[in-house]
Amino acid sequence: MKLRETPSASPSLWRSLPCPPAELRLDLVLSAGQTFRWWESSPGAWTGVLGEHVWTLRQDRDRLWYTVYDKEEDGHPAEAAALDGAEMERILRDYFQLDVGLPALYRAWGAADPLFCKVAKDFPGVRVLRQDPVECLLSFICTSNNHISRITAMIERLCQAFGRRLCYLDPRAFHAFPSLSALTGADAEERLRALGFGYRAKFVSGTARAIAEGLGAEGLRGLRAVPYAEARRVLCTLPGVGCKVADCVCLMALDKAEAVPVDTHVWRIARQRYGAVLGGRSLTPRAHQEIGDFFRGLWGPPLLAGHRQ
């Protein structure tokens, strides 16, 4: 990867931590639609924004290698201190939930579900990310009637237009995810429409405003400490947030491992591959609950059920 010759784009030293492919496969986790801020910058290397920093990650045998690029503000080095080694590792362990032993879960799911046992060997190391709740929520509002490549492009435009620039990696500028205040201006919805968000523009700006004027970012993060049903109920009161988006945020940002996001694909799998007669003729809230309950019952303790998604 060629770097722009500026102090703000210089990487820290490469560091690594033990992480075999059975615990994590970057290519399967970062490209499958959980997050939309990573791209394969060179074969086997993934570059993206995590928190307020730009990272490059790669895997080599049983180790996860990582480096972080210095931030900049208005073309000058930022005053914020660079991350130290211990903090880098803490962030990665938290983001990838590396304290959860994945092979043991795979064995438990395989024992409970013959279909999972059959396909699991082709998809090792698929784990649920633990994301920032605001970024996860606003990103998944953009997933309605959409596909991964288009969502990724939308989130990139969102960050370029509303987020603070972090650094350049030639020829690309990287930006932080926008703050709530950046998305609550009087012209935010209009600007989002101009960026191609369509009807989602009012939901993104409306939810940003509702959080800013209500829970706040810390209050949203605080939903990690409440029961799943309560967190889901609160999320579903926000503009543009239905059962599926709420479950995605519960699972991928709010520590609700029992959440099972249900869309038409999951519904079809439940009916065709498991023979489950669920959900009636449309994906109503009742259908979401029935299908989620079916998979929670199939895979064992609710604490572990959603981690498979």
Side-chain angles (χ1 to χ4, degrees), residues 75-263:
H76 297 88
E79 295 180 0
L83 297 173
D84 63 26
E87 181 65 5
M88 289 181 200
E89 181 167 333
R90 185 200 67 77
I91 289 171
L92 284 183
R93 286 190 174 279
D94 182 72
Y95 184 62
F96 288 110
Q97 303 198 74
L98 292 178
D99 291 336
V100 176
L102 198 58
L105 293 183
Y106 268 49
R107 288 192 295 271
W109 293 326
D113 181 356
L115 179 58
F116 177 81
C117 188
K118 181 178 179 180
V119 302
K121 64 181 182 298
D122 296 324
F123 300 97
V126 178
R127 58 173 56 243
V128 173
L129 299 173
R130 189 176 194 243
Q131 302 179 56
D132 173 76
V134 170
E135 178 173 340
C136 186
L137 172 59
L138 296 180
S139 296
F140 272 92
I141 287 175
C142 300
T143 64
S144 174
N145 299 313
N146 221 337
H147 54 79
I148 292 175
S149 61
R150 187 163 181 260
I151 300 163
T152 300
M154 289 171 65
I155 299 302
E156 179 70 8
R157 294 195 297 271
L158 174 75
C159 295
Q160 290 175 349
F162 293 92
R164 182 170 56 82
R165 191 177 68 212
L166 298 176
C167 72
Y168 278 97
L169 301 182
D170 255 351
R172 184 168 182 164
F174 286 80
H175 296 76
F177 197 84
S179 64
L180 289 174
S181 60
L183 293 170
T184 55
D187 64 342
E189 181 180 340
E190 181 181 351
R191 291 174 63 192
L192 287 168
R193 288 187 181 277
L195 292 172
F197 278 64
Y199 68 88
R200 304 171 193 86
K202 67 177 180 180
F203 296 145
V204 172
S205 60
T207 287
R209 185 174 300 106
I211 296 170
E213 296 174 354
L215 286 171
E218 285 306 309
L220 183 64
R221 185 180 297 270
L223 293 179
R224 288 174 171 172
V226 307
Y228 162 54
E230 174 63 11
R232 191 173 188 260
R233 183 195 65 77
V234 171
L235 291 173
C236 285
T237 66
L238 297 170
V241 178
C243 296
K244 192 231 174 158
V245 169
D247 276 331
C248 287
V249 178
C250 281
L251 177 62
M252 300 172 198
L254 297 180
D255 298 343
K256 313 306 179 199
E258 64 267 50
V260 180
V262 175
D263 58 13

Side-chain angles (χ1 to χ4, degrees), residues 40-57:
E40 194 171 16
S41 48
S42 62
W46 294 82
T47 298
V49 179
L50 175 54
E52 292 290 313
H53 296 270
V54 179
W55 302 63
T56 293
L57 313 176

